[in-house]
Amino acid sequence: MNIVERFLNYTKFDTQSSEESQTVPSTSKQLLFAEYLRQELIDEGFADVEMDDKGYIYATLKGNVDKKVPVIGFISHYDTSPDCSGANIHPRIVEHYDGADIVLSEGIVMRTDKFPEMLQHQGEDLIVTDGTTLLGADDKAGIAEIIQAMCYLRDHPEVKHGDIRVAFNPDEEIGMGAHHFNVEKFGCQWAYTMDGGDLGDLEYENFNAAAAKVRIKGVSVHPGYAKGKMVNANRLAAEFVALLPADETPETTEGYQGFFHLLGIQSNIERAQLSYIIRDHDRKIFERRKVMMLECGRAINEKYGEGTCEVEINDQYYNMKEKIDPNMHVIDLVLKAMQDCGVPPKVEPIRGGTDGAQLSFKGLPCPNIFAGGVNFHGPYEFVSVQVMEKAMQVIVRICELTADYYE
């Protein structure tokens, strides 16, 4: 099976996670794909294949060297974003992309003026959607690349390497992917998440992240007799939003700039709930952002009465840079592997996060490498076949270099 066939098989599974769920994984449909992956690893001859009751999958490709070599790992998540449907995906391959706009389906066009990154892939074969769902390259492309790389190493014993561990997990998209990851069982000295973007992306700085729920209690009264009595939770929700800086949102920031992102509002007159994520690369500014949101809640309560507004904030992950800096050999190996594979590295901060951030704080240094997907979390997502193949080659070369590096 080649890497394209493998990836297309994966897109048949709806693995969308859910922020509203309290189960692990957050959706039972993720387990259907997890079981498929577990069986695939067994069929491909991996050792130590196991899946726990929460859907975390671990396996080993045994080394082929006599000397002691560090055990390293590669990790990808199999859930897709709650932001866009992942059901009934209809992928299509645009062969030898010519640089023109791509008609995904009737009335739905991926235009180069809106998505100029398309032009960087002229002459390549692009896998796109029909414009009604996401594609799932985030992060099923990463899974395909890891398994394909391990199969290559299995079939090419002349490429020397130590034991390689692989792991696939649920719920990364809702910030929970690493919470139940068993680092001790994984047994690696360091690892890499294959969850980055386009060709050459290498990331070991990411946002500090928190999720916030804002709950507002209103009082419903007949509008004809509401003066002095009604408390309209719809309006208070809008008032809360207006208290936060309008120029500190995802659509107004870039680079190292942080933001408050309003994910959704559910409201009526009696009750409203706002879901936010809070992001910043700077830990001190991140902490100030959380305080600001709490102060907004206090301001609502001071105006409308104690208990009107409740703000709950939970940290999700932190900037992995502080854990990677003392282990820069982990980065050096990737840079050398990219160079050897003809991939120009692009070392940039992640305006987001990966499981690697949490894993780094759990004692497993874990930077993030490109998987090739572009325009994640929406119907204009695409991935280049050639970039996926390059990612697979980089994985193989990292494994080989790790054995050489410690001679």
Side-chain angles (χ1 to χ4, degrees):
M1 186 183 299
N2 63 40
I3 197 168
V4 174
E5 294 169 331
R6 205 177 292 277
F7 172 69
L8 293 178
N9 282 342
Y10 298 164
T11 65
K12 297 174 184 176
F13 292 85
D14 178 9
T15 57
Q16 190 177 45
S17 49
S18 171
E19 291 184 307
E20 305 306 317
S21 172
Q22 300 301 313
T23 63
V24 181
S26 62
T27 53
S28 60
K29 58 190 175 183
Q30 292 183 69
L31 290 175
L32 298 176
F33 183 50
E35 177 56 35
Y36 175 89
L37 281 178
R38 186 191 71 84
Q39 189 59 51
E40 182 176 47
L41 292 171
I42 292 171
D43 293 344
E44 293 289 8
F46 283 71
D48 310 321
V49 179
E50 59 179 307
M51 183 175 78
D52 66 21
D53 61 348
K54 293 179 172 60
Y56 288 71
I57 304 166
Y58 307 93
T60 305
L61 178 71
K62 292 294 187 182
N64 59 7
V65 292
D66 295 330
K67 62 184 179 180
K68 187 175 181 180
V69 175
V71 179
I72 64 172
F74 294 90
I75 303 165
S76 287
H77 66 90
Y78 54 74
D79 66 313
T80 59
S81 171
D83 295 345
C84 184
S85 173
N88 301 312
I89 296 171
H90 298 288
R92 174 169 63 93
I93 301 177
V94 179
E95 297 182 347
H96 309 298
Y97 171 60
D98 61 5
D101 294 348
I102 298 176
V103 178
L104 301 178
S105 58
E106 186 175 355
I108 304 177
V109 180
M110 187 157 62
R111 304 197 323 265
T112 58
D113 60 347
K114 188 171 183 179
F115 302 105
E117 54 271 21
M118 296 164 60
L119 298 174
Q120 300 174 19
H121 297 281
Q122 293 183 64
E124 300 174 11
D125 303 317
L126 306 186
I127 306 176
V128 301
T129 74
D130 66 356
T132 63
T133 68
L134 49 67
L135 177 63
D138 178 15
D139 189 25
K140 291 170 183 171
I143 298 173
E145 291 153 7
I146 291 170
I147 294 180
Q148 201 69 27
M150 296 303 105
C151 290
Y152 180 90
L153 289 171
R154 176 200 64 196
D155 296 338
H156 292 80
E158 71 276 9
V159 181
K160 301 303 179 183
H161 60 87
D163 285 357
I164 311 297
R165 291 281 279 164
V166 302
F168 306 122
N169 60 268
D171 290 342
E172 188 270 354
E173 297 292 359
I174 58 172
M176 301 294 290
H179 282 212
H180 299 280
F181 192 105
N182 192 326
V183 169
E184 183 178 354
K185 177 186 290 186
F186 198 42
C188 295
Q189 292 182 237
W190 68 86
Y192 302 95
T193 50
M194 299 300 298
D195 191 22
D198 213 343
L199 182 71
D201 283 359
L202 171 59
E203 300 153 331
Y204 61 95
E205 296 182 70
N206 60 277
F207 277 141
N208 297 288
K213 297 288 187 186
V214 180
R215 301 179 182 91
I216 297 173
K217 296 178 182 178
V219 178
S220 179
V221 179
H222 188 290
Y225 308 95
K227 185 175 181 181
K229 300 175 183 177
M230 177 184 286
V231 179
N232 190 333
N234 294 301
R235 191 175 59 76
L236 268 61
E239 189 171 333
F240 184 95
V241 172
L243 290 173
L244 293 168
D247 60 348
E248 296 182 16
T249 64
E251 57 267 42
T252 61
T253 54
E254 61 184 352
Y256 285 95
Q257 297 172 317
F259 55 73
F260 302 93
H261 180 33
L262 178 59
L263 294 174
I265 303 175
Q266 296 176 326
S267 71
N268 53 37
I269 293 173
E270 287 191 323
R271 195 171 302 276
Q273 178 171 291
L274 299 84
S275 298
Y276 276 93
I277 58 173
I278 304 169
R279 300 290 188 263
D280 210 288
H281 279 89
D282 186 294
R283 185 68 173 267
K284 292 180 180 178
I285 298 175
F286 171 67
E287 296 298 332
R288 290 203 294 268
R289 288 188 182 281
K290 292 191 290 182
V291 171
M292 181 185 296
M293 182 161 280
L294 292 170
E295 289 176 345
C296 290
R298 282 194 286 269
I300 295 291
N301 285 332
E302 287 174 5
K303 186 173 180 179
Y304 297 100
E306 193 63 35
T308 302
C309 183
E310 175 191 348
V311 179
E312 177 186 350
I313 300 176
N314 293 296
D315 287 358
Q316 295 172 304
Y317 51 82
Y318 304 109
N319 191 340
M320 75 172 87
K321 185 176 188 297
E322 65 181 87
K323 299 299 181 181
I324 298 296
D325 279 348
N327 297 282
M328 285 304 291
H329 62 283
V330 174
I331 302 299
D332 294 340
L333 285 167
V334 184
L335 293 173
K336 179 68 167 78
M338 287 187 180
Q339 178 185 10
D340 293 349
C341 294
V343 175
K346 296 185 293 184
V347 182
E348 296 178 342
I350 311 171
R351 284 186 61 78
T354 72
D355 289 328
Q358 294 181 54
L359 293 172
S360 293
F361 279 87
K362 292 176 76 170
L364 180 68
C366 197
N368 192 39
I369 300 174
F370 71 96
V374 182
N375 301 334
F376 294 157
H377 298 188
Y380 300 101
E381 183 183 9
F382 71 88
V383 65
S384 162
V385 172
Q386 285 75 17
V387 174
M388 289 177 65
E389 290 171 341
K390 279 293 185 184
M392 184 269 289
Q393 294 168 18
V394 168
I395 294 170
V396 169
R397 187 62 179 142
I398 289 171
C399 296
E400 187 176 23
L401 285 170
T402 301
D404 291 340
Y405 190 82
Y406 287 87
E407 281 191 297

